[in-house]
Amino acid sequence: MHTDWLGTQDIFTRSIGRTTYWANRLTPLVEFSTSPVHADATAWRMCMILSGFWAGSTPFVEITRLDAGQSLRLERGELRLTTELPSWFTNPQGAASVDDLAAAIEGAVPRSLLNRSDLTLSGGLDSRLILAAGLHRGGPRPRSFSTHHESGWDGDTRIAEEVARAARLDHRLIDYGPDDWLNAREKTLDRLEHSTSMHAWLLPLARTIHNGRAARAPLLDGLAGDVLMKYHDEVAPVDRDERTRRVWATLGANGFSASIGLRPDIRDEWESEAQAAWRQQMRRWDDHPYAETVMRLLTRTRRAIAASPFRLFAPERRVLTPFIDPDVVRVALSVPPLASSDRDLRPRVLRVLDPALADINSTVDPAVNQGAFVERGPSSPAAVWSMVRAIDAEPSSARLFNDGALASVSARAGARSIPQSVRRAAMLAHWTGRWRTKLAQPLRFD
């Protein structure tokens, strides 16, 4: 058995006696056996910081996940776990051009399927690049779907609709409100098997897409486009530590460290230990010409973001993700570095593929007005109160916060933002309740 080069394909294993079982979901490996499982407190610590489980860890001690490029082989009666990443990823060679990258993205978008495909379209650049690649060769136009981000700003959908009009697409906007988000939250966690606390806002969109065309029709999604092409500059070796601190912070640690209400010993100790473990694993990439890109791909893209297309849209729909196509990654990592002041490859590639679409503003432009704020996500009063009640009901989650902290969060419900730690602790609480009867002992962090 083996997973793909990035490790986005879910393969979980559990050994009982001399037999190793595998599945592409956690639930069967927990439920089929009467043997109890143990909660992995160390893995949950990392999840609380990064919003996703790290490397091969899962919520359970007894169950592991094949990591990027890993294979599990049975040789002479013994299981061997090996890791082999492709040379074009570990040691990129060549001097590709922006035109080469545009051609590689074109090649990863199957023209023959476009006339019956769907596209998730945002106001950013990733989905627009996929659209431009498909249309560049005169291909048929896919249907496009957009939904509001849970932050509540409407700039994303406003720009997506402008792109759809310019490309003459059959476009549909899926709206939702605070009650819809709240109703979807626990259903989303169950579907994701608590791999991340993100993406509750996508379930209404996913249900629309599930009920659309036949299951054989592909869905195109821009997974990893931003990470692969947004940080395309070469950092001098003397800046390695500063670079890794920056990457670590933007992977989610900043939000965790800034979470008012968490017990200080937990906030500081967990963040320090998790960063040290992550840094140890990332050292092998220090000399990679695009170390920041690689670190982000192997952490946040694989374990937090990939859950969105592969767990919410699939298996009902066949999901195609052109930006993790091996040829696209190989070429992207061969394009010479850009200046650190303007290091995003995407606008350059988009201009090659479709100058008209390139001229439309995007949400990655800091000067773009995001428009009106309409609460759709986790900071609505009903959502905050629901999550706080869930945390209060589970000691393992409630102990993470200072006395009175959760009451303070409830009091500021509807204030447009809540600490990230509350949402992640609510996910932990929901997971604990879901698997309480299967756990050998209650989860404790002390």
Side-chain angles (χ1 to χ4, degrees):
M1 296 184 300
H2 66 88
T3 188
D4 60 285
W5 71 270
L6 186 55
T8 55
Q9 181 182 10
D10 285 332
I11 298 179
F12 301 101
T13 65
R14 178 184 181 183
S15 295
I16 300 177
R18 291 181 53 82
T19 303
T20 297
Y21 304 87
W22 71 272
N24 61 4
R25 293 185 66 83
L26 286 164
T27 301
L29 295 178
V30 179
E31 291 185 333
F32 89 105
S33 173
T34 58
S35 300
V37 287
H38 294 78
D40 190 333
T42 301
W44 270 109
R45 286 186 178 194
M46 185 69 84
C47 181
M48 288 288 291
I49 296 170
L50 298 182
S51 192
F53 289 88
W54 163 239
S57 67
T58 76
F60 305 98
V61 172
E62 290 82 2
I63 302 175
T64 58
R65 175 184 175 180
L66 292 190
D67 204 357
Q70 283 194 332
S71 299
L72 191 63
R73 292 184 172 89
L74 181 65
E75 297 181 0
R76 298 179 181 179
E78 297 293 333
L79 282 176
R80 290 189 57 198
L81 183 65
T82 58
T83 302
E84 185 176 356
L85 292 171
S87 60
W88 47 259
F89 185 64
T90 59
N91 186 29
Q93 301 291 326
S97 67
V98 171
D99 286 349
D100 294 331
L101 181 53
I105 296 172
E106 272 193 64
V109 178
R111 181 181 178 185
S112 62
L113 298 177
L114 279 178
N115 64 336
R116 53 186 178 84
S117 67
D118 293 333
L119 170 71
T120 52
L121 184 65
S122 72
L125 293 176
D126 302 333
S127 55
R128 199 182 312 183
L129 270 172
I130 294 175
L131 173 62
L135 299 180
H136 187 248
R137 293 179 294 181
R141 285 165 170 73
R143 295 190 312 178
S144 60
F145 294 82
S146 300
T147 193
H148 300 275
H149 196 280
E150 61 185 350
S151 64
W153 296 107
D154 63 6
D156 206 52
T157 54
R158 175 173 50 81
I159 296 174
E161 290 180 314
E162 184 178 354
V163 170
R165 284 194 300 271
R168 304 193 308 279
L169 301 183
D170 176 5
H171 182 70
R172 183 173 176 186
L173 173 64
I174 309 303
D175 202 358
Y176 68 93
D179 290 341
D180 300 307
W181 185 94
L182 181 58
N183 182 56
R185 189 183 72 87
E186 293 189 354
K187 295 180 177 68
T188 303
L189 292 176
D190 286 336
R191 190 171 177 106
L192 298 176
E193 293 190 306
H194 303 83
S195 59
T196 175
S197 59
M198 303 169 67
H199 308 313
W201 80 96
L202 285 174
L203 194 55
L205 170 65
R207 285 171 171 163
T208 300
I209 290 174
H210 294 163
N211 296 327
R213 304 191 186 195
R216 66 180 181 276
L219 174 70
L220 296 162
D221 187 84
L223 172 70
D226 56 345
V227 171
L228 178 63
M229 293 179 279
K230 187 178 179 180
Y231 311 99
H232 203 77
D233 65 330
E234 188 172 18
V235 180
V238 293
D239 295 326
R240 286 173 179 168
D241 289 340
E242 175 58 32
R243 175 184 61 201
T244 53
R245 280 193 293 269
R246 181 178 67 212
V247 174
W248 172 253
T250 56
L251 287 174
N254 266 1
F256 181 80
S257 300
S259 289
I260 300 172
L262 275 177
R263 285 169 36 195
D265 57 323
I266 285 178
R267 186 179 63 238
D268 299 339
E269 178 185 334
W270 286 20
E271 198 275 337
S272 177
E273 291 181 357
Q275 183 181 11
W278 177 84
R279 181 70 183 103
Q280 183 62 33
Q281 290 287 330
M282 291 293 109
R283 287 190 189 281
R284 69 165 293 189
W285 304 106
D286 277 349
D287 294 324
H288 195 284
Y290 301 111
E292 183 170 353
T293 294
V294 171
M295 291 176 186
R296 291 173 185 269
L297 283 171
L298 292 176
T299 307
R300 189 169 178 82
T301 299
R302 177 183 58 190
R303 296 313 308 262
I305 306 300
S308 171
F310 294 135
R311 285 297 187 104
L312 294 182
F313 300 139
E316 287 87 348
R317 296 295 297 272
R318 177 188 176 193
V319 177
L320 302 179
T321 50
F323 296 123
I324 62 172
D325 180 280
D327 195 50
V328 172
V329 179
R330 177 186 62 79
V331 175
L333 296 182
S334 297
V335 176
L338 306 176
S340 58
S341 59
D342 185 20
R343 57 180 181 160
D344 194 338
L345 271 171
R346 294 174 299 169
R348 291 168 169 81
V349 179
L350 184 58
R351 191 154 294 281
V352 169
L353 293 170
D354 194 322
L357 292 184
D359 287 337
I360 300 175
N361 287 330
S362 75
T363 51
V364 302
D365 183 350
V368 170
N369 184 344
Q370 288 295 309
F373 185 95
V374 179
E375 176 55 59
R376 292 186 176 88
S379 61
S380 68
V384 173
W385 294 331
S386 174
M387 287 187 280
V388 167
R389 285 197 302 271
I391 295 169
D392 273 333
E394 293 293 347
S396 58
S397 297
R399 290 194 192 103
L400 304 178
F401 296 89
N402 293 319
D403 291 343
L406 294 176
S408 176
V409 170
S410 296
R412 55 191 286 259
R416 295 192 180 181
S417 65
I418 59 170
Q420 291 183 11
S421 55
V422 170
R423 185 165 173 185
R424 295 172 188 177
M427 178 180 76
L428 171 61
H430 184 261
W431 176 86
T432 303
R434 168 72 174 84
W435 292 113
R436 181 179 289 106
T437 60
K438 282 289 188 177
L439 295 177
Q441 58 193 37
L443 173 63
R444 296 185 64 90
F445 292 108
D446 49 7

